PDB file of all heavy atoms in Angstrom:
ATOM      1  N   ARG A   1       2.274  -5.677   0.546  1.00 98.00           N
ATOM      2  CA  ARG A   1       3.018  -5.444  -0.680  1.00 98.00           C
ATOM      3  C   ARG A   1       3.949  -4.291  -0.442  1.00 98.00           C
ATOM      4  O   ARG A   1       3.548  -3.227  -0.018  1.00 98.00           O
ATOM      5  CB  ARG A   1       2.046  -5.079  -1.830  1.00 98.00           C
ATOM      6  CG  ARG A   1       0.922  -6.081  -1.949  1.00 98.00           C
ATOM      7  CD  ARG A   1      -0.070  -5.677  -2.982  1.00 98.00           C
ATOM      8  NE  ARG A   1      -1.210  -6.605  -3.058  1.00 98.00           N
ATOM      9  CZ  ARG A   1      -1.920  -6.921  -4.192  1.00 98.00           C
ATOM     10  NH1 ARG A   1      -1.645  -6.288  -5.313  1.00 98.00           N
ATOM     11  NH2 ARG A   1      -2.963  -7.711  -4.062  1.00 98.00           N
ATOM     12  N   LEU A   2       5.245  -4.495  -0.722  1.00 98.00           N
ATOM     13  CA  LEU A   2       6.239  -3.461  -0.424  1.00 98.00           C
ATOM     14  C   LEU A   2       6.835  -2.995  -1.691  1.00 98.00           C
ATOM     15  O   LEU A   2       7.246  -3.700  -2.609  1.00 98.00           O
ATOM     16  CB  LEU A   2       7.387  -4.153   0.439  1.00 98.00           C
ATOM     17  CG  LEU A   2       8.362  -3.201   1.079  1.00 98.00           C
ATOM     18  CD1 LEU A   2       7.748  -2.212   2.014  1.00 98.00           C
ATOM     19  CD2 LEU A   2       9.477  -3.982   1.755  1.00 98.00           C
ATOM     20  N   ARG A   3       6.966  -1.632  -1.823  1.00 98.00           N
ATOM     21  CA  ARG A   3       7.484  -0.896  -2.985  1.00 98.00           C
ATOM     22  C   ARG A   3       8.400   0.147  -2.527  1.00 98.00           C
ATOM     23  O   ARG A   3       8.261   0.710  -1.361  1.00 98.00           O
ATOM     24  CB  ARG A   3       6.362  -0.305  -3.844  1.00 98.00           C
ATOM     25  CG  ARG A   3       5.378  -1.298  -4.432  1.00 98.00           C
ATOM     26  CD  ARG A   3       4.254  -0.512  -5.074  1.00 98.00           C
ATOM     27  NE  ARG A   3       3.314  -1.339  -5.844  1.00 98.00           N
ATOM     28  CZ  ARG A   3       2.166  -1.849  -5.372  1.00 98.00           C
ATOM     29  NH1 ARG A   3       1.871  -1.718  -4.084  1.00 98.00           N
ATOM     30  NH2 ARG A   3       1.392  -2.630  -6.142  1.00 98.00           N
ATOM     31  N   GLY A   4       9.359   0.573  -3.337  1.00 97.00           N
ATOM     32  CA  GLY A   4      10.166   1.685  -3.093  1.00 97.00           C
ATOM     33  C   GLY A   4      11.550   1.328  -2.495  1.00 97.00           C
ATOM     34  O   GLY A   4      11.763   0.145  -2.069  1.00 97.00           O
ATOM     35  N   ALA A   5      12.497   2.194  -2.504  1.00 97.00           N
ATOM     36  CA  ALA A   5      13.848   1.972  -2.146  1.00 97.00           C
ATOM     37  C   ALA A   5      14.025   1.870  -0.621  1.00 97.00           C
ATOM     38  O   ALA A   5      13.367   2.607   0.144  1.00 97.00           O
ATOM     39  CB  ALA A   5      14.786   3.041  -2.659  1.00 97.00           C
ATOM     40  N   ALA A   6      14.794   0.870  -0.200  1.00 96.00           N
ATOM     41  CA  ALA A   6      15.153   0.837   1.224  1.00 96.00           C
ATOM     42  C   ALA A   6      15.832   2.153   1.697  1.00 96.00           C
ATOM     43  O   ALA A   6      16.633   2.750   0.990  1.00 96.00           O
ATOM     44  CB  ALA A   6      16.061  -0.393   1.529  1.00 96.00           C
ATOM     45  N   GLY A   7      15.475   2.566   2.871  1.00 96.00           N
ATOM     46  CA  GLY A   7      16.029   3.804   3.396  1.00 96.00           C
ATOM     47  C   GLY A   7      15.214   5.035   3.097  1.00 96.00           C
ATOM     48  O   GLY A   7      15.449   6.128   3.694  1.00 96.00           O
ATOM     49  N   ALA A   8      14.274   4.976   2.187  1.00 98.00           N
ATOM     50  CA  ALA A   8      13.455   6.080   1.854  1.00 98.00           C
ATOM     51  C   ALA A   8      12.387   6.248   2.963  1.00 98.00           C
ATOM     52  O   ALA A   8      12.113   5.291   3.676  1.00 98.00           O
ATOM     53  CB  ALA A   8      12.719   5.887   0.496  1.00 98.00           C
ATOM     54  N   PRO A   9      11.814   7.503   3.145  1.00 98.00           N
ATOM     55  CA  PRO A   9      10.813   7.661   4.188  1.00 98.00           C
ATOM     56  C   PRO A   9       9.654   6.665   3.941  1.00 98.00           C
ATOM     57  O   PRO A   9       9.318   6.321   2.815  1.00 98.00           O
ATOM     58  CB  PRO A   9      10.393   9.084   3.975  1.00 98.00           C
ATOM     59  CG  PRO A   9      11.477   9.736   3.273  1.00 98.00           C
ATOM     60  CD  PRO A   9      12.137   8.704   2.409  1.00 98.00           C
ATOM     61  N   GLY A  10       9.021   6.213   5.039  1.00 98.00           N
ATOM     62  CA  GLY A  10       8.090   5.179   4.939  1.00 98.00           C
ATOM     63  C   GLY A  10       6.608   5.729   4.897  1.00 98.00           C
ATOM     64  O   GLY A  10       6.215   6.694   5.413  1.00 98.00           O
ATOM     65  N   ILE A  11       5.777   4.867   4.203  1.00 98.00           N
ATOM     66  CA  ILE A  11       4.345   5.127   4.150  1.00 98.00           C
ATOM     67  C   ILE A  11       3.673   3.764   4.237  1.00 98.00           C
ATOM     68  O   ILE A  11       4.097   2.783   3.610  1.00 98.00           O
ATOM     69  CB  ILE A  11       3.845   5.777   2.756  1.00 98.00           C
ATOM     70  CG1 ILE A  11       4.371   7.222   2.697  1.00 98.00           C
ATOM     71  CG2 ILE A  11       2.329   5.772   2.745  1.00 98.00           C
ATOM     72  CD1 ILE A  11       3.994   7.880   1.387  1.00 98.00           C
ATOM     73  N   VAL A  12       2.672   3.639   5.148  1.00 98.00           N
ATOM     74  CA  VAL A  12       1.866   2.425   5.253  1.00 98.00           C
ATOM     75  C   VAL A  12       0.457   2.711   4.873  1.00 98.00           C
ATOM     76  O   VAL A  12      -0.157   3.672   5.334  1.00 98.00           O
ATOM     77  CB  VAL A  12       1.923   1.894   6.717  1.00 98.00           C
ATOM     78  CG1 VAL A  12       1.015   0.635   6.866  1.00 98.00           C
ATOM     79  CG2 VAL A  12       3.364   1.517   7.071  1.00 98.00           C
ATOM     80  N   LEU A  13      -0.077   1.885   4.012  1.00 98.00           N
ATOM     81  CA  LEU A  13      -1.457   2.073   3.464  1.00 98.00           C
ATOM     82  C   LEU A  13      -2.396   1.003   3.979  1.00 98.00           C
ATOM     83  O   LEU A  13      -2.118  -0.195   3.797  1.00 98.00           O
ATOM     84  CB  LEU A  13      -1.384   2.049   1.911  1.00 98.00           C
ATOM     85  CG  LEU A  13      -0.448   2.999   1.250  1.00 98.00           C
ATOM     86  CD1 LEU A  13      -0.312   2.782  -0.227  1.00 98.00           C
ATOM     87  CD2 LEU A  13      -0.886   4.502   1.499  1.00 98.00           C
ATOM     88  N   CYS A  14      -3.537   1.378   4.468  1.00 98.00           N
ATOM     89  CA  CYS A  14      -4.502   0.463   5.099  1.00 98.00           C
ATOM     90  C   CYS A  14      -5.865   0.583   4.374  1.00 98.00           C
ATOM     91  O   CYS A  14      -6.394   1.666   4.280  1.00 98.00           O
ATOM     92  CB  CYS A  14      -4.670   0.738   6.583  1.00 98.00           C
ATOM     93  SG  CYS A  14      -3.155   0.695   7.545  1.00 98.00           S
ATOM     94  N   HIS A  15      -6.303  -0.548   3.865  1.00 98.00           N
ATOM     95  CA  HIS A  15      -7.568  -0.597   3.103  1.00 98.00           C
ATOM     96  C   HIS A  15      -8.867  -0.542   4.031  1.00 98.00           C
ATOM     97  O   HIS A  15      -8.725  -0.657   5.276  1.00 98.00           O
ATOM     98  CB  HIS A  15      -7.650  -1.809   2.220  1.00 98.00           C
ATOM     99  CG  HIS A  15      -7.601  -3.088   3.049  1.00 98.00           C
ATOM    100  ND1 HIS A  15      -8.651  -3.558   3.742  1.00 98.00           N
ATOM    101  CD2 HIS A  15      -6.604  -3.972   3.240  1.00 98.00           C
ATOM    102  CE1 HIS A  15      -8.383  -4.710   4.288  1.00 98.00           C
ATOM    103  NE2 HIS A  15      -7.095  -5.018   4.064  1.00 98.00           N
ATOM    104  N   GLY A  16      -9.982  -0.407   3.399  1.00 96.00           N
ATOM    105  CA  GLY A  16     -11.303  -0.437   4.159  1.00 96.00           C
ATOM    106  C   GLY A  16     -11.781  -1.788   4.506  1.00 96.00           C
ATOM    107  O   GLY A  16     -11.195  -2.814   4.121  1.00 96.00           O
ATOM    108  N   ASN A  17     -12.976  -1.832   5.076  1.00 94.00           N
ATOM    109  CA  ASN A  17     -13.604  -3.111   5.444  1.00 94.00           C
ATOM    110  C   ASN A  17     -13.994  -3.849   4.152  1.00 94.00           C
ATOM    111  O   ASN A  17     -14.418  -3.325   3.181  1.00 94.00           O
ATOM    112  CB  ASN A  17     -14.852  -2.822   6.293  1.00 94.00           C
ATOM    113  CG  ASN A  17     -15.663  -4.060   6.574  1.00 94.00           C
ATOM    114  OD1 ASN A  17     -15.060  -5.079   7.001  1.00 94.00           O
ATOM    115  ND2 ASN A  17     -16.952  -4.019   6.347  1.00 94.00           N
ATOM    116  N   ALA A  18     -13.780  -5.140   4.301  1.00 90.00           N
ATOM    117  CA  ALA A  18     -14.097  -6.077   3.127  1.00 90.00           C
ATOM    118  C   ALA A  18     -13.377  -5.730   1.871  1.00 90.00           C
ATOM    119  O   ALA A  18     -13.834  -5.972   0.743  1.00 90.00           O
ATOM    120  CB  ALA A  18     -15.616  -6.079   2.928  1.00 90.00           C
ATOM    121  N   ALA A  19     -12.186  -5.117   2.006  1.00 95.00           N
ATOM    122  CA  ALA A  19     -11.355  -4.768   0.865  1.00 95.00           C
ATOM    123  C   ALA A  19     -10.037  -5.544   0.979  1.00 95.00           C
ATOM    124  O   ALA A  19      -9.949  -6.504   1.648  1.00 95.00           O
ATOM    125  CB  ALA A  19     -11.162  -3.259   0.803  1.00 95.00           C
ATOM    126  N   HIS A  20      -9.016  -5.031   0.247  1.00 97.00           N
ATOM    127  CA  HIS A  20      -7.734  -5.694   0.160  1.00 97.00           C
ATOM    128  C   HIS A  20      -6.676  -4.683  -0.259  1.00 97.00           C
ATOM    129  O   HIS A  20      -6.995  -3.628  -0.735  1.00 97.00           O
ATOM    130  CB  HIS A  20      -7.813  -6.924  -0.696  1.00 97.00           C
ATOM    131  CG  HIS A  20      -8.228  -6.607  -2.139  1.00 97.00           C
ATOM    132  ND1 HIS A  20      -7.335  -6.282  -3.145  1.00 97.00           N
ATOM    133  CD2 HIS A  20      -9.427  -6.567  -2.716  1.00 97.00           C
ATOM    134  CE1 HIS A  20      -8.005  -6.074  -4.277  1.00 97.00           C
ATOM    135  NE2 HIS A  20      -9.318  -6.233  -4.041  1.00 97.00           N
ATOM    136  N   SER A  21      -5.421  -5.155  -0.164  1.00 98.00           N
ATOM    137  CA  SER A  21      -4.298  -4.266  -0.484  1.00 98.00           C
ATOM    138  C   SER A  21      -4.246  -3.751  -1.937  1.00 98.00           C
ATOM    139  O   SER A  21      -3.668  -2.808  -2.234  1.00 98.00           O
ATOM    140  CB  SER A  21      -2.988  -4.880  -0.069  1.00 98.00           C
ATOM    141  OG  SER A  21      -2.771  -6.134  -0.704  1.00 98.00           O
ATOM    142  N   GLY A  22      -4.864  -4.547  -2.796  1.00 97.00           N
ATOM    143  CA  GLY A  22      -4.871  -4.188  -4.235  1.00 97.00           C
ATOM    144  C   GLY A  22      -5.616  -2.841  -4.489  1.00 97.00           C
ATOM    145  O   GLY A  22      -5.436  -2.309  -5.600  1.00 97.00           O
ATOM    146  N   TRP A  23      -6.389  -2.424  -3.565  1.00 98.00           N
ATOM    147  CA  TRP A  23      -7.047  -1.090  -3.763  1.00 98.00           C
ATOM    148  C   TRP A  23      -6.018  -0.010  -3.800  1.00 98.00           C
ATOM    149  O   TRP A  23      -6.368   1.142  -4.359  1.00 98.00           O
ATOM    150  CB  TRP A  23      -7.959  -0.865  -2.542  1.00 98.00           C
ATOM    151  CG  TRP A  23      -9.237  -1.510  -2.540  1.00 98.00           C
ATOM    152  CD1 TRP A  23      -9.508  -2.803  -2.594  1.00 98.00           C
ATOM    153  CD2 TRP A  23     -10.595  -0.859  -2.519  1.00 98.00           C
ATOM    154  NE1 TRP A  23     -10.842  -3.090  -2.578  1.00 98.00           N
ATOM    155  CE2 TRP A  23     -11.503  -1.911  -2.530  1.00 98.00           C
ATOM    156  CE3 TRP A  23     -11.006   0.431  -2.473  1.00 98.00           C
ATOM    157  CZ2 TRP A  23     -12.915  -1.687  -2.472  1.00 98.00           C
ATOM    158  CZ3 TRP A  23     -12.374   0.690  -2.437  1.00 98.00           C
ATOM    159  CH2 TRP A  23     -13.293  -0.342  -2.446  1.00 98.00           C
ATOM    160  N   TRP A  24      -4.800  -0.253  -3.402  1.00 98.00           N
ATOM    161  CA  TRP A  24      -3.739   0.767  -3.452  1.00 98.00           C
ATOM    162  C   TRP A  24      -2.830   0.586  -4.608  1.00 98.00           C
ATOM    163  O   TRP A  24      -1.826   1.354  -4.790  1.00 98.00           O
ATOM    164  CB  TRP A  24      -2.960   0.761  -2.133  1.00 98.00           C
ATOM    165  CG  TRP A  24      -3.748   1.126  -0.941  1.00 98.00           C
ATOM    166  CD1 TRP A  24      -4.202   0.248   0.001  1.00 98.00           C
ATOM    167  CD2 TRP A  24      -4.122   2.430  -0.475  1.00 98.00           C
ATOM    168  NE1 TRP A  24      -4.940   0.909   0.957  1.00 98.00           N
ATOM    169  CE2 TRP A  24      -4.831   2.248   0.709  1.00 98.00           C
ATOM    170  CE3 TRP A  24      -3.891   3.726  -0.960  1.00 98.00           C
ATOM    171  CZ2 TRP A  24      -5.321   3.337   1.422  1.00 98.00           C
ATOM    172  CZ3 TRP A  24      -4.376   4.801  -0.264  1.00 98.00           C
ATOM    173  CH2 TRP A  24      -5.141   4.599   0.902  1.00 98.00           C
ATOM    174  N   ASP A  25      -3.023  -0.495  -5.497  1.00 98.00           N
ATOM    175  CA  ASP A  25      -2.087  -0.765  -6.516  1.00 98.00           C
ATOM    176  C   ASP A  25      -1.852   0.305  -7.512  1.00 98.00           C
ATOM    177  O   ASP A  25      -0.818   0.373  -8.126  1.00 98.00           O
ATOM    178  CB  ASP A  25      -2.553  -2.051  -7.262  1.00 98.00           C
ATOM    179  CG  ASP A  25      -2.164  -3.361  -6.547  1.00 98.00           C
ATOM    180  OD1 ASP A  25      -1.514  -3.294  -5.515  1.00 98.00           O
ATOM    181  OD2 ASP A  25      -2.592  -4.446  -7.039  1.00 98.00           O
ATOM    182  N   PHE A  26      -2.816   1.208  -7.683  1.00 98.00           N
ATOM    183  CA  PHE A  26      -2.674   2.301  -8.690  1.00 98.00           C
ATOM    184  C   PHE A  26      -2.404   3.582  -7.978  1.00 98.00           C
ATOM    185  O   PHE A  26      -2.245   4.608  -8.607  1.00 98.00           O
ATOM    186  CB  PHE A  26      -3.986   2.463  -9.538  1.00 98.00           C
ATOM    187  CG  PHE A  26      -5.223   2.283  -8.718  1.00 98.00           C
ATOM    188  CD1 PHE A  26      -5.890   3.348  -8.195  1.00 98.00           C
ATOM    189  CD2 PHE A  26      -5.754   1.014  -8.533  1.00 98.00           C
ATOM    190  CE1 PHE A  26      -7.055   3.254  -7.467  1.00 98.00           C
ATOM    191  CE2 PHE A  26      -6.967   0.854  -7.792  1.00 98.00           C
ATOM    192  CZ  PHE A  26      -7.614   1.932  -7.260  1.00 98.00           C
ATOM    193  N   ILE A  27      -2.192   3.566  -6.650  1.00 98.00           N
ATOM    194  CA  ILE A  27      -1.786   4.690  -5.827  1.00 98.00           C
ATOM    195  C   ILE A  27      -0.353   4.546  -5.377  1.00 98.00           C
ATOM    196  O   ILE A  27       0.470   5.450  -5.488  1.00 98.00           O
ATOM    197  CB  ILE A  27      -2.684   4.880  -4.591  1.00 98.00           C
ATOM    198  CG1 ILE A  27      -4.203   4.958  -4.967  1.00 98.00           C
ATOM    199  CG2 ILE A  27      -2.278   6.101  -3.768  1.00 98.00           C
ATOM    200  CD1 ILE A  27      -4.563   6.167  -5.813  1.00 98.00           C
ATOM    201  N   ALA A  28      -0.059   3.371  -4.899  1.00 98.00           N
ATOM    202  CA  ALA A  28       1.309   3.122  -4.291  1.00 98.00           C
ATOM    203  C   ALA A  28       2.458   3.335  -5.189  1.00 98.00           C
ATOM    204  O   ALA A  28       3.481   3.872  -4.712  1.00 98.00           O
ATOM    205  CB  ALA A  28       1.360   1.683  -3.669  1.00 98.00           C
ATOM    206  N   PRO A  29       2.477   2.907  -6.457  1.00 98.00           N
ATOM    207  CA  PRO A  29       3.640   3.106  -7.292  1.00 98.00           C
ATOM    208  C   PRO A  29       4.080   4.541  -7.411  1.00 98.00           C
ATOM    209  O   PRO A  29       5.306   4.813  -7.440  1.00 98.00           O
ATOM    210  CB  PRO A  29       3.233   2.515  -8.674  1.00 98.00           C
ATOM    211  CG  PRO A  29       2.135   1.490  -8.316  1.00 98.00           C
ATOM    212  CD  PRO A  29       1.421   2.115  -7.141  1.00 98.00           C
ATOM    213  N   ALA A  30       3.150   5.463  -7.532  1.00 98.00           N
ATOM    214  CA  ALA A  30       3.564   6.890  -7.565  1.00 98.00           C
ATOM    215  C   ALA A  30       4.192   7.307  -6.314  1.00 98.00           C
ATOM    216  O   ALA A  30       5.133   8.087  -6.354  1.00 98.00           O
ATOM    217  CB  ALA A  30       2.289   7.726  -7.912  1.00 98.00           C
ATOM    218  N   LEU A  31       3.690   6.854  -5.162  1.00 98.00           N
ATOM    219  CA  LEU A  31       4.295   7.251  -3.907  1.00 98.00           C
ATOM    220  C   LEU A  31       5.630   6.593  -3.691  1.00 98.00           C
ATOM    221  O   LEU A  31       6.549   7.184  -2.989  1.00 98.00           O
ATOM    222  CB  LEU A  31       3.309   6.795  -2.758  1.00 98.00           C
ATOM    223  CG  LEU A  31       1.898   7.261  -2.778  1.00 98.00           C
ATOM    224  CD1 LEU A  31       1.088   6.747  -1.627  1.00 98.00           C
ATOM    225  CD2 LEU A  31       1.868   8.791  -2.886  1.00 98.00           C
ATOM    226  N   ALA A  32       5.834   5.415  -4.264  1.00 98.00           N
ATOM    227  CA  ALA A  32       7.113   4.766  -4.152  1.00 98.00           C
ATOM    228  C   ALA A  32       8.205   5.372  -4.909  1.00 98.00           C
ATOM    229  O   ALA A  32       9.370   4.963  -4.745  1.00 98.00           O
ATOM    230  CB  ALA A  32       6.910   3.264  -4.545  1.00 98.00           C
ATOM    231  N   GLU A  33       7.958   6.368  -5.703  1.00 98.00           N
ATOM    232  CA  GLU A  33       9.007   7.029  -6.375  1.00 98.00           C
ATOM    233  C   GLU A  33       9.899   7.824  -5.389  1.00 98.00           C
ATOM    234  O   GLU A  33      11.079   8.018  -5.648  1.00 98.00           O
ATOM    235  CB  GLU A  33       8.445   8.001  -7.404  1.00 98.00           C
ATOM    236  CG  GLU A  33       7.727   7.364  -8.597  1.00 98.00           C
ATOM    237  CD  GLU A  33       7.046   8.298  -9.469  1.00 98.00           C
ATOM    238  OE1 GLU A  33       7.162   9.552  -9.240  1.00 98.00           O
ATOM    239  OE2 GLU A  33       6.320   7.895 -10.400  1.00 98.00           O
ATOM    240  N   THR A  34       9.358   8.181  -4.289  1.00 98.00           N
ATOM    241  CA  THR A  34      10.054   8.943  -3.257  1.00 98.00           C
ATOM    242  C   THR A  34      10.040   8.270  -1.868  1.00 98.00           C
ATOM    243  O   THR A  34      10.669   8.746  -0.960  1.00 98.00           O
ATOM    244  CB  THR A  34       9.528  10.391  -3.117  1.00 98.00           C
ATOM    245  OG1 THR A  34       8.081  10.256  -2.850  1.00 98.00           O
ATOM    246  CG2 THR A  34       9.737  11.104  -4.456  1.00 98.00           C
ATOM    247  N   HIS A  35       9.189   7.216  -1.694  1.00 98.00           N
ATOM    248  CA  HIS A  35       9.017   6.649  -0.436  1.00 98.00           C
ATOM    249  C   HIS A  35       9.094   5.112  -0.439  1.00 98.00           C
ATOM    250  O   HIS A  35       8.986   4.518  -1.502  1.00 98.00           O
ATOM    251  CB  HIS A  35       7.622   7.034   0.226  1.00 98.00           C
ATOM    252  CG  HIS A  35       7.559   8.489   0.661  1.00 98.00           C
ATOM    253  ND1 HIS A  35       7.514   9.553  -0.215  1.00 98.00           N
ATOM    254  CD2 HIS A  35       7.584   9.029   1.908  1.00 98.00           C
ATOM    255  CE1 HIS A  35       7.520  10.633   0.416  1.00 98.00           C
ATOM    256  NE2 HIS A  35       7.513  10.381   1.731  1.00 98.00           N
ATOM    257  N   ARG A  36       9.253   4.490   0.686  1.00 98.00           N
ATOM    258  CA  ARG A  36       9.201   3.045   0.912  1.00 98.00           C
ATOM    259  C   ARG A  36       7.709   2.767   1.344  1.00 98.00           C
ATOM    260  O   ARG A  36       7.318   3.294   2.423  1.00 98.00           O
ATOM    261  CB  ARG A  36      10.167   2.625   2.019  1.00 98.00           C
ATOM    262  CG  ARG A  36      10.183   1.100   2.302  1.00 98.00           C
ATOM    263  CD  ARG A  36      11.147   0.472   1.375  1.00 98.00           C
ATOM    264  NE  ARG A  36      11.620  -0.794   1.886  1.00 98.00           N
ATOM    265  CZ  ARG A  36      12.149  -1.767   1.124  1.00 98.00           C
ATOM    266  NH1 ARG A  36      12.246  -1.615  -0.258  1.00 98.00           N
ATOM    267  NH2 ARG A  36      12.591  -2.864   1.651  1.00 98.00           N
ATOM    268  N   VAL A  37       6.955   2.119   0.549  1.00 98.00           N
ATOM    269  CA  VAL A  37       5.472   2.032   0.692  1.00 98.00           C
ATOM    270  C   VAL A  37       5.124   0.581   0.972  1.00 98.00           C
ATOM    271  O   VAL A  37       5.360  -0.343   0.157  1.00 98.00           O
ATOM    272  CB  VAL A  37       4.804   2.514  -0.565  1.00 98.00           C
ATOM    273  CG1 VAL A  37       3.302   2.511  -0.414  1.00 98.00           C
ATOM    274  CG2 VAL A  37       5.228   3.992  -0.881  1.00 98.00           C
ATOM    275  N   ALA A  38       4.352   0.400   2.068  1.00 98.00           N
ATOM    276  CA  ALA A  38       3.827  -0.962   2.406  1.00 98.00           C
ATOM    277  C   ALA A  38       2.278  -0.824   2.347  1.00 98.00           C
ATOM    278  O   ALA A  38       1.693  -0.043   3.132  1.00 98.00           O
ATOM    279  CB  ALA A  38       4.294  -1.343   3.766  1.00 98.00           C
ATOM    280  N   ALA A  39       1.664  -1.625   1.507  1.00 98.00           N
ATOM    281  CA  ALA A  39       0.194  -1.719   1.509  1.00 98.00           C
ATOM    282  C   ALA A  39      -0.249  -3.044   2.003  1.00 98.00           C
ATOM    283  O   ALA A  39       0.209  -4.105   1.457  1.00 98.00           O
ATOM    284  CB  ALA A  39      -0.287  -1.549   0.005  1.00 98.00           C
ATOM    285  N   MET A  40      -0.997  -3.060   3.097  1.00 98.00           N
ATOM    286  CA  MET A  40      -1.222  -4.327   3.889  1.00 98.00           C
ATOM    287  C   MET A  40      -2.607  -4.818   3.718  1.00 98.00           C
ATOM    288  O   MET A  40      -3.531  -4.136   3.297  1.00 98.00           O
ATOM    289  CB  MET A  40      -0.903  -4.025   5.351  1.00 98.00           C
ATOM    290  CG  MET A  40      -1.818  -2.874   5.951  1.00 98.00           C
ATOM    291  SD  MET A  40      -1.614  -2.786   7.700  1.00 98.00           S
ATOM    292  CE  MET A  40      -2.425  -4.312   8.223  1.00 98.00           C
ATOM    293  N   ASP A  41      -2.778  -6.121   4.053  1.00 98.00           N
ATOM    294  CA  ASP A  41      -4.100  -6.724   4.180  1.00 98.00           C
ATOM    295  C   ASP A  41      -4.333  -7.040   5.597  1.00 98.00           C
ATOM    296  O   ASP A  41      -3.552  -7.662   6.275  1.00 98.00           O
ATOM    297  CB  ASP A  41      -4.107  -8.067   3.393  1.00 98.00           C
ATOM    298  CG  ASP A  41      -4.048  -7.924   1.907  1.00 98.00           C
ATOM    299  OD1 ASP A  41      -4.764  -7.137   1.363  1.00 98.00           O
ATOM    300  OD2 ASP A  41      -3.352  -8.707   1.254  1.00 98.00           O
ATOM    301  N   PHE A  42      -5.423  -6.534   6.194  1.00 98.00           N
ATOM    302  CA  PHE A  42      -5.795  -6.886   7.505  1.00 98.00           C
ATOM    303  C   PHE A  42      -6.126  -8.409   7.644  1.00 98.00           C
ATOM    304  O   PHE A  42      -6.498  -9.036   6.642  1.00 98.00           O
ATOM    305  CB  PHE A  42      -7.087  -6.094   7.906  1.00 98.00           C
ATOM    306  CG  PHE A  42      -6.786  -4.677   8.269  1.00 98.00           C
ATOM    307  CD1 PHE A  42      -7.193  -3.674   7.406  1.00 98.00           C
ATOM    308  CD2 PHE A  42      -6.090  -4.308   9.380  1.00 98.00           C
ATOM    309  CE1 PHE A  42      -6.985  -2.337   7.662  1.00 98.00           C
ATOM    310  CE2 PHE A  42      -5.772  -2.960   9.673  1.00 98.00           C
ATOM    311  CZ  PHE A  42      -6.266  -1.970   8.789  1.00 98.00           C
ATOM    312  N   ALA A  43      -6.012  -8.921   8.845  1.00 97.00           N
ATOM    313  CA  ALA A  43      -6.345 -10.353   9.081  1.00 97.00           C
ATOM    314  C   ALA A  43      -7.691 -10.704   8.611  1.00 97.00           C
ATOM    315  O   ALA A  43      -8.701  -9.979   8.774  1.00 97.00           O
ATOM    316  CB  ALA A  43      -6.230 -10.657  10.565  1.00 97.00           C
ATOM    317  N   GLY A  44      -7.803 -11.814   7.796  1.00 95.00           N
ATOM    318  CA  GLY A  44      -9.131 -12.269   7.286  1.00 95.00           C
ATOM    319  C   GLY A  44      -9.546 -11.488   6.028  1.00 95.00           C
ATOM    320  O   GLY A  44     -10.604 -11.748   5.538  1.00 95.00           O
ATOM    321  N   MET A  45      -8.659 -10.667   5.474  1.00 95.00           N
ATOM    322  CA  MET A  45      -8.957  -9.995   4.240  1.00 95.00           C
ATOM    323  C   MET A  45      -7.774 -10.073   3.300  1.00 95.00           C
ATOM    324  O   MET A  45      -6.607 -10.299   3.755  1.00 95.00           O
ATOM    325  CB  MET A  45      -9.258  -8.527   4.572  1.00 95.00           C
ATOM    326  CG  MET A  45     -10.352  -8.307   5.593  1.00 95.00           C
ATOM    327  SD  MET A  45     -10.737  -6.517   5.871  1.00 95.00           S
ATOM    328  CE  MET A  45     -11.524  -6.652   7.573  1.00 95.00           C
ATOM    329  N   GLY A  46      -8.002  -9.934   2.029  1.00 96.00           N
ATOM    330  CA  GLY A  46      -6.867  -9.996   1.082  1.00 96.00           C
ATOM    331  C   GLY A  46      -6.254 -11.371   1.153  1.00 96.00           C
ATOM    332  O   GLY A  46      -6.845 -12.401   1.203  1.00 96.00           O
TER     333      GLY A  46
END
């Protein structure tokens, strides 16, 4: 899931075991105010 303006400094968010990228849904939007934020799902999850 990608949020934030292109060209802004980047942040990549990685979830825990047996979890999914939605764990960052209430964290990432605030970070995306100043950064380009990618919250990912590991293979076999999310």
